[in-house]
Amino acid sequence: MVLADLGRKITTALRGLSNATVINEEVLEAMLKEICKALLEADVNVKLVKRMRENIKSVIDFEEMAAGLNKRRIIQSSVFNELCKLIDPGVKAWQPVKGRANVVMFVGLQGSGKTTTCSKMAYHYQRKGWKTCLICADTFRAGAFDQLKQNATKARIPFYGSYTETDPVVIAQDGVEKFKAEGFEFLVVDTSGRHKQEESLFEEMLQVSNAITPDNVVFVMDATIGQACEAQARAFSEKVDIASVIITKLDGHAKGGGALSAVAATRSPVIFIGTGEHIDDFEQFKTKPFVSKLLGMGDIEGLIDKVSELKLEENEELIGKLKQGQFTLRDMYEQFQNIMKMGPFNQIMGMLPGFGADFMSKGSEQESMSRLRKMMTIMDSMCDQELDHPQGHKLFQRQTTRVSRVARGAGVSVRDVQDLLTQYSKFAQMVKKMGGIKGLFKGGDMSKNINPSQMAKLNQQMAKMMDPRVLHQMGGMSGLQNMMKQFQQGSTQGHKRGGGGGS
Ligand code: GDP
Ligand code: MG
């Protein structure tokens, strides 16, 4: 069962709880049975599922629960917490330090996605403004250097490798030295894999690691191998000090449960996930937002991060307008252009409450993109007066011939134009709310400029944009807010793991 299905099944089970008239042991049992079945079908380890079930049952004591307490909510939040525990080893993820050389070494079996993921990670940090480079220390696989070179060239990332040198240790060392001397901040070292865990691979891995003393060893795990992940993760972590995990191929038909729950065996946090072959198909991994997304509850934090990446604060004109509560159709057009630049549209949509699971599967990416393009085509048929009107939708309401003119011009139906205007008025409300938050756009990082109560207001606004049917399924507004609050409270606990990996 793919992850999107898992999310849907758990949501359905939780909804059963909301629909039940009385909450008792029997109802809880039925719900747990459904959830556990779904987890097992998604390849989550039997022992972990059993433990999760016991944990939830131990939290819920029907006799002790005061009558006034909301049992539904307690059960729902304990399910949420247990799902988080399943994939969260409770160890804080390694963070690179700006202004010095951070060496990241990749390990994993052949075909797990190392080379692809190296490029994705380098690209990710490059876009965030780090001075980044790639080093190919894979001399085992024919064509390995060409593959990395191709990726690096496409993404304009400086790279190092050799066609003649056969010792990976020498290449890794030379590359790291060279780039360190040139003041690079983020050095990614790709290594070779083998078809299975074998001594020669581990031997080589250790030698490279000793030579370059990486700050972070990333173990790349292929989600498609399901239950086998656990043994593999264990074998690698026994040999080398894995500091982080990246799970690849979580798109398509991967039964991601096996990989996600195998992470516990490494005692290292998942830092990113790969969701496709393209360099953009890469997402930062945080447990709570991930589970929240899986259950279709949205990821406001992630959304704000994405919006921060747009460097809106550099768009002084827009900020000025927003502060005055203005947001025109033209502004929306420009924001759509930005969204297209932001990378995979599904990633953004998946962060909106009510969209999660569906947008985690790749299929609808094309559709979403074409929907967005269609909206832009419609706006292309509008005149300046319409685009720049402070309340464009009202202008159209007053003079309805404008609607038919635009529809004709764009080759769409009147209904399509009306839909766009409705979308705009909702979107404008939301954006104005954001603009009204004082200081939101100050400095680079929006997420640091926003306090919990403002966050709650944004969530509320976000919920208003959602399809009311979806909202209803999620237990209405109060249910949503409560969930959101829980997710935002206290980020993952745990102590910081030493950065100086190596061995
Ligand atoms: P390596 O042998 O570990 O270096 O693995 P590669 O980077 O060469 O990847 C092996 C194959 O997996 C390639 O065909 C990649 O395009 C593919 N791949 C890597 N990551 C992902 C992912 O997240 N999703 C999908 N669908 N394919 C991936
Ligand atoms: Mg490779």
Side-chain angles (χ1 to χ4, degrees):
M1 182 166 55
V2 300
L3 276 182
D5 291 333
L6 174 64
R8 227 170 280 130
K9 288 214 174 155
I10 297 178
T11 315
T12 310
L14 287 172
R15 205 182 304 147
L17 202 63
S18 300
N19 294 340
T21 37
V22 208
I23 308 273
N24 54 25
E25 210 120 359
E26 218 171 293
V27 174
L28 176 67
E29 272 302 331
M31 183 204 73
L32 284 177
K33 205 171 152 200
E34 248 181 276
I35 293 181
C36 292
K37 186 164 165 270
L39 288 168
L40 291 173
E41 280 170 19
D43 249 352
V44 177
N45 181 306
V46 159
K47 272 185 284 181
L48 294 177
V49 175
K50 193 158 165 266
R51 194 187 311 152
M52 168 173 177
R53 187 185 188 134
E54 280 159 11
N55 286 351
I56 295 175
K57 283 170 77 172
S58 73
V59 174
I60 321 287
D61 184 338
F62 285 102
E63 274 166 32
E64 264 191 16
M65 256 192 247
L69 267 174
N70 193 331
K71 293 174 196 159
R72 248 178 227 111
R73 203 145 289 155
I74 295 174
I75 295 175
Q76 278 169 346
S77 74
S78 80
V79 169
F80 184 84
N81 288 338
E82 288 300 324
L83 285 173
C84 290
K85 265 201 240 163
L86 213 54
I87 44 179
D88 186 353
V91 179
K92 220 171 159 208
W94 171 83
Q95 289 288 343
V97 182
K98 199 90 184 158
R100 72 170 185 85
N102 298 271
V103 179
V104 181
M105 174 179 160
F106 274 62
V107 300
L109 289 193
Q110 187 160 319
S112 61
K114 280 183 308 303
T115 305
T116 313
T117 310
C118 277
S119 321
K120 287 178 178 179
M121 192 179 189
Y123 182 64
H124 174 89
Y125 278 96
Q126 191 187 47
R127 284 208 311 183
K128 286 187 175 296
W130 295 67
K131 202 173 171 206
T132 306
C133 60
L134 280 162
I135 297 159
C136 174
D138 179 358
T139 52
F140 183 76
R141 186 179 183 171
F145 182 37
D146 279 325
Q147 187 193 357
L148 180 128
K149 200 165 135 181
Q150 207 171 42
N151 291 348
T153 310
K154 245 195 244 167
R156 295 167 194 272
I157 300 167
F159 59 91
Y160 182 86
S162 167
Y163 287 112
T164 48
E165 177 58 63
T166 52
D167 187 352
V169 178
V170 172
I171 301 182
Q173 206 160 16
D174 287 355
V176 167
E177 255 168 45
K178 169 185 143 67
F179 284 124
K180 269 188 175 172
E182 292 172 13
F184 277 81
E185 294 171 298
F186 202 83
L187 294 73
V188 182
V189 183
D190 188 14
T191 65
S192 70
R194 298 287 190 277
H195 291 298
K196 54 184 176 44
Q197 295 106 263
E198 53 193 58
E199 231 15 80
S200 62
L201 168 62
F202 290 136
E203 188 64 34
E204 183 178 314
M205 200 167 78
L206 283 179
Q207 282 175 6
V208 173
S209 172
N210 285 337
I212 61 174
T213 53
D215 299 290
N216 182 21
V217 175
V218 175
F219 172 53
V220 177
M221 191 157 64
D222 177 346
T224 58
I225 65 169
Q227 294 266 5
C229 282
E230 179 157 0
Q232 199 189 98
R234 190 152 292 168
F236 271 88
S237 61
E238 273 165 13
K239 293 287 174 177
V240 66
D241 191 7
I242 294 172
S244 0
V245 178
I246 296 181
I247 301 176
T248 60
K249 310 185 196 177
L250 267 176
D251 48 310
H253 302 291
K255 285 180 160 196
L260 285 168
S261 54
V263 172
T266 64
R267 301 286 305 143
S268 317
V270 180
I271 50 171
F272 287 96
I273 54 174
T275 53
E277 296 189 50
H278 192 261
I279 198 154
D280 258 338
D281 297 328
F282 195 55
E283 295 174 38
Q284 193 139 31
F285 184 88
K286 287 183 187 153
T287 308
K288 284 182 184 181
F290 179 81
V291 173
S292 150
K293 251 165 85 173
L294 188 67
L295 303 182
M297 293 159 184
D299 169 15
I300 309 292
E301 249 180 76
L303 191 63
I304 290 199
D305 277 349
K306 275 282 175 193
V307 175
S308 293
E309 271 178 35
L310 289 178
K311 301 207 185 313
L312 274 179
E313 72 280 358
E314 282 170 14
N315 188 343
E316 283 176 25
E317 200 191 321
L318 179 67
I319 300 307
K321 280 166 129 185
L322 287 179
K323 280 185 183 152
Q324 291 161 27
Q326 287 176 18
F327 186 75
T328 63
L329 280 156
R330 192 189 298 283
D331 295 327
M332 182 161 89
Y333 188 93
E334 283 168 7
Q335 288 322 302
F336 282 177
Q337 280 177 321
N338 277 332
I339 287 178
M340 289 191 158
K341 266 188 266 164
M342 261 200 283
F345 187 56
N346 280 338
Q347 282 180 22
I348 312 293
M349 294 309 286
M351 290 172 184
L352 297 177
F355 288 102
D358 285 331
F359 278 92
M360 285 175 100
S361 52
K362 277 269 123 177
S364 42
E365 168 88 31
Q366 223 51 33
E367 250 171 65
S368 321
M369 218 46 181
S370 71
R371 219 159 42 218
L372 200 62
R373 285 217 181 84
K374 184 171 172 186
M375 291 173 86
M376 292 173 83
T377 310
I378 297 176
M379 288 187 272
D380 279 331
S381 290
M382 294 178 178
C383 65
D384 286 346
Q385 190 199 353
E386 289 157 354
L387 285 173
D388 296 322
H389 195 279
Q391 286 182 306
H393 57 300
K394 295 212 170 142
L395 180 66
F396 280 93
Q397 266 166 25
R398 280 199 300 271
Q399 301 169 348
T400 49
T401 52
R402 289 181 186 273
V403 177
S404 37
R405 194 205 79 238
V406 169
R408 237 178 316 155
V412 300
S413 70
V414 164
R415 181 63 201 267
D416 289 332
V417 180
Q418 280 161 344
D419 284 350
L420 170 109
L421 292 169
T422 309
Q423 203 77 44
Y424 160 70
S425 74
K426 284 187 191 167
F427 199 22
Q429 269 175 30
M430 164 89 187
V431 174
K432 283 173 190 170
K433 265 265 156 49
M434 288 176 74
I437 296 175
K438 249 173 112 183
L440 179 61
F441 299 105
K442 256 191 303 189
D445 194 352
M446 264 172 75
S447 47
K448 290 205 183 93
N449 298 335
I450 190 161
N451 69 38
S453 94
Q454 290 167 332
M455 183 70 99
K457 279 200 195 121
L458 275 184
N459 286 334
Q460 212 172 349
Q461 201 67 22
M462 193 75 96
K464 275 195 204 149
M465 290 171 63
M466 282 168 50
D467 187 332
R469 279 166 305 180
V470 179
L471 186 60
H472 180 73
Q473 286 172 359
M474 287 168 35
M477 193 53 225
S478 61
L480 174 68
Q481 268 175 321
N482 242 298
M483 289 282 185
M484 288 294 176
K485 226 183 290 160
Q486 283 163 13
F487 306 160
Q488 275 140 21
Q489 273 164 6
S491 50
T492 327
Q493 254 100 55
H495 61 280
K496 198 172 161 57
R497 196 187 169 94
S503 58

